[in-house]
Amino acid sequence: MARLALLSVSNKTGLIDLARSLVEEFDFDLISSGGTAQALKDAGLPVTKVADYTDSPEILGGRVKTLHPRIHGGILARRDVAQDITDLENNQIRPIDLVVVNLYPFEETIAKPGVTLPQAVEQIDIGGPAMLRASSKNFAHLTVLSDPAQYDEYLQELRQNNGEASLEFRQKSALKGFLHTASYDQAIASYLAGTQHHNLSGTQLQSLRYGENPHQPAAWYQTGTTPTGWTAATKLQGKELSYNNLVDLEAARRIIAEFTDTPAATIIKHTNPCGTALGSTISEAYQKAFNADSTSAFGGIVALNRPIDAATASELTKTFLECVVAPSCDPKAQEILGKKSNVRVLTLADLSSGPKDTVKAIAGGFLVESSDDMIADTNQWQVVTERQPTASELAELLFAWKVCKHVKSNAIVVSGDRTTLGVGAGQMNRVGSVKIALEQAGKKAKDAILASDGFFPFDDSVRTAAAAGITALVQPGGSLRDQDSIKAANELGLVMVFTGVRHFLH
């Protein structure tokens, strides 16, 4: 008797090719439900609908299709237990050798704007998880596939093992099935609980060589069932990504996401930008960012918000870089970058989308906050000095403010010509950060502007900035001594703008 395969999938990627191989190459009979059965029929493949196989119609608008003893008996039967085989025979149930199931797109549904609770509830799969769990439990006797990426590997298993999948493959596939249902259930629970419940769940993509230091084991996990963010990136060349690479790449992505309308480049070292710039072309933007601090750029992480072209690729090869990421890479640029085979070159079409929450582990639990993705709006800013900013100064203040948001606190950014000239990061006092940023900027601080992620508690930083040649400052405001800073700015002929928003980054 031909073997029996049950196919019931929401994501139909690769379905027809798999089913055709099962029928034509390995003599499987197919049973299927709903839209999957129709897709197989439309492709000219022989398929029996689940309702015809069970002699029970789909009911409740499709809520009940596969919840039937002829389905679950065929899945759960142990082929080496005599009573199980007798039960199958007495109830005219065929053993099922392959279950191919993936689940209703619940996470995709709740991600859509305006989705209602009833709409979300209807995308909670019941029969799918039941079949996945049952077939994963019985991996000793059948195979379960929950991801289209498994299809080719399964067919190769059959071809290499006389039409059988190895026990090792079946157990590995069962684990993937349980991880799939666990992630699915956690997504539902988190949605229904709202802010009262937060789950951390992911599937390990790969082990990393180590974490921040060689004595720290590390691994990379994917959240959800659909690759997004860095799990959806394409690595064109270079060594495997490290833990620190990925952390720095995310820091670079967050900065470059601030700039969409103009070519922009940023270079990251230890999660802080050593150079960020805008330009008329992406090559110009990168060169400006590199020249902002060419010493620190050595061994840096580069993010670009435009495709890598040949001119930019040539510039990128002039120094040692760990990673480069851009939305895409021209063929000629890829050829040029290939001469630096060790540099990791990635493409990620969507560099703007990031996690909604930031999670940090602490002893006994973890902390969750919404991501700092507030969009700066100069219409909400308040000019608190007598001198008003020019249009050019306001644009420069906005640029520096966007960069400052992504520098470790206490953060100070000095900029001019939409280029960072000096960055003071992570100091224990704001005066120290101001001095570092101004020292780095040097003579270029003349007629430049300065941004601070937090308020100035005293007027000393304002006076230090003015002495270096700074003409305008942007800060959140909110200090008890704001008037001291405002008075000093007026005395020195500076522009000072309050944003009303603080951007600490710890």
Side-chain angles (χ1 to χ4, degrees):
M1 179 183 294
R3 287 175 292 176
L4 187 61
L6 168 60
L7 285 64
S8 181
V9 295
S10 173
N11 179 0
K12 295 178 176 56
T13 302
L15 171 70
I16 302 305
D17 289 341
L18 171 67
R20 182 167 285 112
S21 293
L22 293 175
V23 171
E24 297 178 357
E25 194 174 347
F26 299 104
D27 195 31
F28 273 85
D29 289 339
L30 307 181
I31 57 174
S32 189
S33 62
T36 307
Q38 189 61 51
L40 295 172
K41 183 179 179 181
D42 291 345
L45 292 166
V47 58
T48 301
K49 290 185 178 180
V50 165
D52 295 332
Y53 176 74
T54 61
D55 199 26
S56 294
E58 295 184 7
I59 61 173
L60 307 182
R63 281 190 165 196
V64 177
K65 297 190 285 281
T66 58
L67 299 171
H68 192 280
R70 291 201 79 190
I71 298 298
H72 286 274
I75 292 174
L76 286 165
R78 294 159 292 188
R79 315 300 167 82
D80 55 356
V81 175
Q83 186 59 54
D84 285 9
I85 300 303
T86 299
D87 287 343
L88 292 183
E89 293 171 350
N90 290 342
N91 291 280
Q92 298 180 315
I93 298 174
R94 289 178 62 181
I96 296 175
D97 294 277
L98 173 66
V99 175
V100 182
V101 177
N102 54 60
L103 309 178
Y104 293 169
F106 179 81
E107 290 179 281
E108 291 85 342
T109 298
I110 62 175
K112 296 176 182 176
V115 66
T116 65
L117 177 61
Q119 289 171 330
V121 166
E122 285 308 308
Q123 290 301 318
I124 297 176
D125 203 332
I126 302 300
M131 289 187 291
L132 270 181
R133 288 179 59 80
S135 49
S136 295
K137 175 178 179 175
N138 205 28
F139 69 85
H141 302 283
L142 57 82
T143 304
V144 57
L145 305 178
S146 55
D147 184 343
Q150 297 172 289
Y151 297 171
D152 286 343
E153 187 179 359
Y154 172 68
L155 292 173
Q156 286 302 316
E157 280 280 316
L158 299 187
R159 291 168 184 140
Q160 294 170 6
N161 298 294
N162 297 317
E164 300 291 338
S166 65
L167 178 60
E168 179 184 8
F169 177 82
R170 298 199 304 270
Q171 183 170 344
K172 182 176 69 173
S173 298
L175 171 61
K176 193 173 184 70
F178 281 123
L179 290 171
H180 189 25
T181 58
S183 175
Y184 192 78
D185 286 341
Q186 288 197 348
I188 295 168
S190 295
Y191 173 76
L192 294 177
T195 58
Q196 300 174 13
H197 186 78
H198 200 287
N199 283 307
L200 287 176
S201 176
T203 302
Q204 184 173 321
L205 287 181
Q206 65 183 77
S207 295
L208 302 172
R209 288 180 61 199
Y210 51 80
E212 288 182 293
N213 298 291
H215 63 275
Q216 295 173 266
W220 181 9
Y221 287 81
Q222 172 185 314
T223 56
T225 56
T226 303
T228 59
W230 296 109
T231 63
T234 300
K235 185 161 71 71
L236 301 180
Q237 67 173 57
K239 299 178 290 186
E240 290 297 321
L241 292 167
S242 71
Y243 179 96
N244 289 333
N245 289 158
L246 288 161
V247 171
D248 283 335
L249 281 167
E250 177 60 11
R253 186 202 63 75
R254 290 176 185 273
I255 291 183
I256 215 68
E258 297 281 353
F259 306 103
T260 57
D261 298 334
T262 305
T266 190
I267 307 173
I268 297 291
K269 286 293 286 289
H270 309 298
T271 73
N272 282 307
C274 54
T276 302
L278 308 183
S280 58
T281 65
I282 195 62
S283 178
E284 181 190 22
Y286 169 71
Q287 289 178 69
K288 288 170 67 178
F290 177 81
N291 291 331
D293 185 356
S294 58
T295 300
S296 297
F298 184 84
I301 306 287
V302 175
L304 311 168
N305 71 345
R306 295 290 189 274
I308 307 172
D309 55 21
T312 309
S314 295
E315 292 298 324
L316 290 166
T317 59
K318 291 180 180 179
T319 191
F320 167 65
L321 298 170
E322 286 280 354
C323 304
V324 177
V325 63
S328 62
C329 184
D330 297 348
K332 180 61 177 176
Q334 191 169 346
E335 180 183 337
I336 294 169
L337 289 167
K339 298 173 184 177
K340 292 273 189 175
S341 59
N342 284 334
V343 63
R344 303 161 176 90
V345 178
L346 296 91
T347 58
L348 179 58
D350 182 9
L351 283 163
S352 62
S353 297
K356 296 179 180 179
D357 296 325
T358 299
V359 182
K360 292 188 178 182
I362 60 172
F366 56 90
L367 306 175
V368 180
E369 65 173 349
S370 61
S371 294
D372 187 5
D373 54 8
M374 180 179 287
I375 298 173
D377 181 2
T378 56
N379 292 321
Q380 303 299 316
W381 290 6
Q382 179 186 8
V383 181
V384 295
T385 49
E386 296 168 359
R387 189 165 86 77
Q388 300 290 305
T390 64
S392 178
E393 283 177 324
L394 187 61
E396 194 70 50
L397 288 165
L398 178 60
F399 168 79
W401 182 245
K402 287 182 174 182
V403 176
C404 194
K405 172 181 174 181
H406 301 281
V407 177
K408 295 287 187 180
S409 299
N410 289 309
I412 298 293
V413 170
V414 175
S415 81
D417 189 27
R418 312 303 186 271
T419 305
T420 56
L421 305 175
V423 178
Q427 297 306 298
M428 285 61 74
N429 64 77
R430 195 158 299 277
V431 175
S433 288
V434 169
K435 289 180 178 178
I436 289 172
L438 291 172
E439 182 180 345
Q440 186 182 16
K443 294 180 180 179
K444 293 180 181 178
K446 187 178 185 322
D447 298 327
I449 67 92
L450 182 148
S452 171
D453 68 341
F455 61 65
F456 294 121
F458 305 101
D459 66 0
D460 49 2
S461 290
V462 176
R463 295 185 182 279
T464 300
I470 296 294
T471 61
L473 305 99
V474 57
Q475 57 139 317
S479 170
L480 293 175
R481 294 177 175 270
D482 274 346
Q483 285 305 316
D484 292 351
S485 294
I486 295 170
K487 180 181 177 181
N490 282 327
E491 174 190 324
L492 297 164
L494 306 181
V495 170
M496 183 178 287
V497 176
F498 284 3
T499 65
V501 176
R502 189 183 75 184
H503 285 306
F504 279 0
L505 178 62
H506 288 90

